[in-house]
């Protein structure tokens, strides 16, 4: 069974989709204790760490779950969106914006077979586009085939309309390209 971890997990919305596809959650990390409590209720067989992502090390993950670099099947990232969202102030200096670059560290150190980074569409609009381009530049330095797309959940049988930016990467040695649903 393929294994995944979710960093910036929230209560596990993305994890539910992965589990429905046959994958197994082995770890979720979130800063919010209520999110962790809910994730634990939603996925009782997964470990849940209530930590600041900057305090989590890839070595701790590999040692705790007895996995080697390159062995993990997938990592899901949903970094905070408040600084990018049209529902907020869109403050380019919001310190939470820097958390968008934490996935680069984990991808580099864990070398999962694939990853997805999800965020709001405000990330590619106006003054925030520079941050998005910088993230893509950093990801392009890694050993991954990467594609991104703006998708709306309403077109994928979900009962909500949420436009999201999805960055999908697949490790190059696997010989596959990321493919988005039609």
């Amino acid at each position: 069974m393929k294994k995944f971890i979710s960093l910036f997990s929230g209560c596990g919305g993305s994890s539910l989709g992965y589990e429905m596809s046959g994958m197994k959650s082995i770890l979720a990390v979130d800063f919010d204790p209520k999110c962790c409590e809910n994730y634990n209720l939603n996925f009782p067989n997964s470990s849940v760490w209530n930590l600041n992502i900057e305090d989590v090390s890839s070595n701790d993950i590999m040692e705790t779950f007895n996995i080697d670099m390159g062995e993990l099947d997938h990592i899901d990232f949903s970094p905070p969106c408040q600084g990018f969202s049209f529902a907020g102030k869109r403050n380019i200096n919001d310190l939470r914006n820097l958390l968008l670059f934490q996935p680069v560290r984990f991808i580099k150190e864990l070398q999962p077979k694939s990853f997805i980074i999800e965020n709001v569409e405000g990330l590619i609009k106006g003054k925030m586009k520079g941050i998005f381009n910088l993230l893509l530049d950093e990801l392009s330095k890694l050993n991954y085939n990467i594609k991104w797309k703006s998708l709306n959940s309403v077109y994928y049988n979900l009962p909500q309309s949420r436009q999201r930016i999805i960055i999908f990467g697949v490790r190059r040695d696997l010989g596959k390209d990321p493919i988005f649903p039609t």
Side-chain angles (χ1 to χ4, degrees):
M1 178 176 286
K2 293 184 178 187
K3 298 175 183 173
F4 73 93
I5 62 175
S6 181
L7 305 180
F8 309 101
S9 65
C11 64
S14 295
S15 295
L16 178 60
Y18 294 121
E19 289 223 339
M20 289 173 69
S21 75
M23 297 178 81
K24 178 180 175 15
S25 172
I26 60 170
L27 173 65
V29 179
D30 203 280
F31 182 72
D32 185 318
K34 284 292 183 194
C35 286
C36 291
E37 182 181 326
N38 283 307
Y39 195 99
N40 195 42
L41 291 170
N42 291 328
F43 304 94
N45 296 321
S46 179
S47 293
V48 181
W49 295 353
N50 179 208
L51 295 168
N52 180 329
I53 201 71
E54 295 170 314
D55 296 331
V56 176
S57 84
S58 296
N59 284 334
D60 287 343
I61 292 171
M62 289 188 287
E63 288 175 14
T64 301
F65 298 99
N66 194 30
I67 54 176
D68 293 324
M69 186 184 324
E71 190 176 331
L72 184 64
D73 293 298
H74 186 76
I75 304 179
D76 177 68
F77 302 94
S78 292
C81 64
Q82 293 91 333
F84 308 117
S85 177
F86 290 112
K89 296 178 182 174
R90 292 184 48 80
N91 179 358
I92 200 153
N93 295 316
D94 187 324
L95 292 178
R96 292 172 292 192
N97 294 350
L98 297 175
L99 294 172
L100 186 66
F101 295 93
Q102 285 295 313
V104 174
R105 172 173 69 97
F106 285 100
I107 294 164
K108 186 184 296 183
E109 294 171 358
L110 292 171
Q111 296 181 19
K113 294 173 184 163
S114 64
F115 69 85
I116 287 181
I117 303 170
E118 172 272 335
N119 216 288
V120 295
E121 192 174 45
L123 180 61
I124 63 168
K125 305 284 185 173
K127 59 188 173 185
M128 300 305 176
K129 178 105 181 178
I131 295 172
F132 178 71
N133 288 335
L134 184 57
L135 175 62
L136 289 180
D137 184 56
E138 289 299 310
L139 290 170
S140 74
K141 296 174 186 173
L142 304 177
N143 188 30
Y144 287 81
N145 296 322
I146 298 169
K147 291 184 181 175
W148 71 272
K149 192 169 187 176
S150 178
L151 301 171
N152 191 317
S153 60
V154 75
Y155 300 115
Y156 302 96
N157 298 320
L158 292 172
Q160 61 182 342
S161 180
R162 296 183 75 178
Q163 198 72 32
R164 291 291 182 262
I165 299 303
I166 306 294
I167 304 169
F168 185 8
V170 178
R171 214 173 56 215
R172 285 191 185 123
D173 66 308
L174 299 175
K176 297 181 180 185
D177 284 322
I179 299 172
F180 286 98
T182 55

